[in-house]
Every structure is written in C-alpha cells, then in structure tokens.
Amino acid sequence: MSLPPILYHHFRVPLPYAQTLALQERIHQIQLAARRTGSHKDVLLLLQHRPVYTAGRRQTEDAVAAERRRLTDMGADFVTTQRGGQLTYHGPGQVVGYPLIDTGRWSPAMGVRDYVCRMQKFIGLHLREAHGLQPSPSDNTGVFLRPTEKIASIGVQVRHRLTSHGFAMNITREPLAWFDQVVACGLEDVKAVSISTATGKDVSVDEEIPGLVSRFGQLYERDMVALDAPKEGEIGEAILALEEEAHSLGAWATAPRL
C-alpha cells in the first residue's frame, strides 16, 4: 500500500472517558502541528471504557441534566462530547475504536460520508467473517443485526481533515444492562445486543482485536502496524500516561440490576 501505515494501540485496562477524550485532543494537536512538515502519524486507539454515558454535541445541558443525575447515581460517568449522535453508553465488554487519521492522505481526499460508510462496512465484515453474523440494512447510523437490534454505534468528528471519536461494538453481555437504562441514540424501539448474545457463545474483547485491526486496514486500504509507545515521542508518552492513570483507578461500577 502506498500510504503510510496506521499505528494501532490496544489498551488492556478500561479507560476513564474524560481523560481519553483529552488524549484524542492531544493527539489531534500533535498531528496538526506535524502535518506542516508531513511527518504526522495516523493512529487507531482500541479500548474499553469505564462505565460512562455520553451525549452528542446537539444535546444541551438543560436537556440532559435529569439524565445526568439519574445515571451518575447508578455509578456511571456522564460526559457531553463534540461527536455526532445522541445519548449512548460505553463500558467494559464493549470494544471502542478511535481512529485519529488524516482523511486528506487519500487521493482524492476522503469525504466524511465515505469515511463513515467504510467504518460501517468494516464492522459488518468483521461480524460476518469472525462470527457468521449478518448485519441488517438500516437507515440509521450504526450496525444492526435486525431492525430493532443494534450491535454497534458510530459517531465521528472531523476537524481540519483529522478524525476523532469513532465506533463502539458490544462484545459481551455486560454492556446490555447499562443500555437498558436509556433510550440509546434516540431510537425508542431499538435494543442493544452483543456478539455473545447473538451467537450464544462466550467471547472476549481481547480476542476481537486482531480481526478488527486487520479488517480496518482492509476497508481503509492501509497497512496496520502496532504502535511502539516508548518510541513514538509525545503520542507514546500521552498513551503511557493514560494507561498508568487507568491502572491506578481500581474497580469500576458493576452493571445495574433490572
């Protein structure tokens, strides 16, 4: 492949959302500065979050204030973001991917619609090839197994042709009780499902990472190379600092009982 590889990093411990948001912003600034000399790196972060509900940029604080109080009382964090989409959940048992890449590297430059379309296709390809699950067509953004069963969410932001935020796919049963506490993504008649519930098999986030990395590279037509944090300067330092902080936080809230 003629374009430089995308460097990927898999965090082994669930990360706090606000600090991960700050990491994305830090990498964005590093990329923006390095792009002047053409030395910027494209990065894919793969991780789990500590339990957190996030609101999209179109939702005002007044609109989500009551939900914020109710959900944080259950032990989850609550963060308003600049991504597209509405209220959703992230937590252990779900793989989250944050591609931080320059859409201008492709020729012609990749548009936002193409970028999101490829993301949806890559998730569908992984579900089919790794688990024999066939996604169902939907007019809504994300990936569905049936019109009323959503297995993955997509919400992105693109600034200066540099992407942030990304996708989240439910792997184990653990996220589902948290999802049942809200109307996720504003879809009243849709429930969250996971690979584990859809296949009836026990699966883990760690097992999914190699296949996701490979298929991401396939759909975006890029080589994928593991990021060597100690050798990647400011980006590597920021990643290692967040990993250290996450390890120090200890246990997270358990899923609510229905």
Side-chain angles (χ1 to χ4, degrees):
M1 297 182 185
S2 58
L3 296 176
I6 295 174
L7 305 180
Y8 69 91
H9 183 77
H10 175 212
F11 291 86
R12 301 288 180 169
V13 62
L15 304 180
Y17 189 87
Q19 291 90 324
T20 311
L21 197 62
L23 173 63
Q24 290 187 72
E25 182 60 28
R26 178 63 185 138
I27 294 176
H28 174 85
Q29 295 301 326
I30 293 169
Q31 290 172 322
L32 201 58
R35 190 164 65 181
R36 297 168 188 164
T37 60
S39 60
H40 59 303
K41 307 288 181 67
D42 288 337
V43 178
L44 171 63
L45 304 177
L46 293 164
L47 55 111
Q48 299 175 77
H49 276 301
R50 296 171 70 88
V52 60
Y53 291 93
T54 68
R57 58 178 173 265
R58 295 183 181 178
Q59 297 175 276
T60 66
E61 182 56 36
D62 287 345
V64 299
E67 283 289 78
R68 178 189 292 272
R69 289 191 295 271
R70 180 177 71 88
L71 297 170
T72 54
D73 283 347
M74 293 192 306
D77 293 329
F78 192 105
V79 180
T80 301
T81 76
Q82 291 302 306
R83 61 160 173 80
Q86 300 184 49
L87 185 69
T88 193
Y89 170 78
H90 299 308
Q94 179 189 74
V95 62
V96 176
Y98 294 135
L100 306 167
I101 61 181
D102 183 354
T103 60
R105 288 196 193 271
W106 285 266
S107 181
M110 186 180 295
V112 175
R113 180 175 296 182
D114 185 15
Y115 174 70
V116 172
C117 183
R118 290 184 191 220
M119 189 173 292
Q120 195 157 336
K121 288 180 178 178
F122 125 76
I123 294 170
L125 181 65
H126 179 77
L127 292 172
R128 287 192 299 272
E129 292 187 345
H131 299 286
L133 297 173
Q134 180 62 44
S136 172
S138 176
D139 293 332
N140 297 301
T141 303
V143 180
F144 296 73
L145 296 185
R146 294 185 178 89
T148 58
E149 295 183 349
K150 188 174 185 180
I151 196 167
S153 299
I154 295 174
V156 306
Q157 183 181 29
V158 182
R159 293 172 292 159
H160 311 291
R161 300 197 313 271
L162 296 171
T163 68
S164 57
H165 298 280
F167 67 89
M169 181 165 58
N170 302 324
I171 308 301
T172 73
R173 294 173 175 82
E174 188 172 358
L176 305 188
W178 291 100
F179 270 109
D180 285 343
Q181 302 299 315
V182 297
V183 177
C185 303
L187 302 176
E188 290 275 359
D189 299 324
V190 174
K191 68 176 183 178
V193 295
S194 69
I195 290 175
S196 183
T197 57
T199 62
K201 299 177 181 178
D202 290 331
V203 292
S204 73
V205 170
D206 287 353
E207 292 170 350
E208 300 301 304
I209 299 302
L212 287 170
V213 168
S214 174
R215 294 178 182 97
F216 187 91
Q218 181 180 341
L219 264 294
Y220 285 93
E221 303 173 271
R222 301 283 292 274
D223 289 324
M224 305 296 293
V225 175
L227 186 148
D228 189 346
K231 297 181 179 179
E232 285 300 330
E234 292 180 272
I235 290 177
E237 290 171 7
I239 286 172
L240 292 174
L242 180 53
E243 284 189 328
E244 184 176 353
E245 180 177 356
H247 277 288
S248 72
L249 293 176
W252 48 86
T254 57
R257 293 183 179 180
L258 300 179

